[in-house]
Amino acid sequence: MSLLIVSLDNTIVNVALPSLGHDLHAPVSGLQWTVDAYTLTLASLLMLAGSTADRVGRRRTFRPVW
């Protein structure tokens, strides 16, 4: 499930790159930094979620609060 989330999120960011570059007048290197920062942040949050799931259980970690 988490791999699906990562690949879907990265696909969404990559599809939005042309619009971001045009609207923000960003160079290609700036867009590369955007993808790298987003991927790194998402990967670190997934690692945190995985370690939390190991400690408290997967069901409690990935279950919605509401």
Side-chain angles (χ1 to χ4, degrees):
M1 186 66 165
S2 61
L3 287 174
L4 174 70
I5 293 169
V6 170
S7 58
L8 183 66
D9 282 347
N10 281 332
T11 302
I12 291 169
V13 170
N14 283 321
V15 167
L17 279 180
S19 297
L20 286 172
H22 184 270
D23 292 344
L24 300 175
H25 306 291
V28 175
S29 62
L31 297 176
Q32 289 172 339
W33 275 105
T34 302
V35 172
D36 291 342
Y38 185 79
T39 304
L40 183 63
T41 303
L42 187 62
S44 63
L45 289 174
L46 279 174
M47 288 176 56
L48 177 65
S51 64
T52 303
D54 287 341
R55 288 188 189 115
V56 299
R58 300 203 185 283
R59 209 173 277 240
R60 284 182 58 196
T61 301
F62 292 110
R63 183 179 46 186
V65 178
W66 61 88

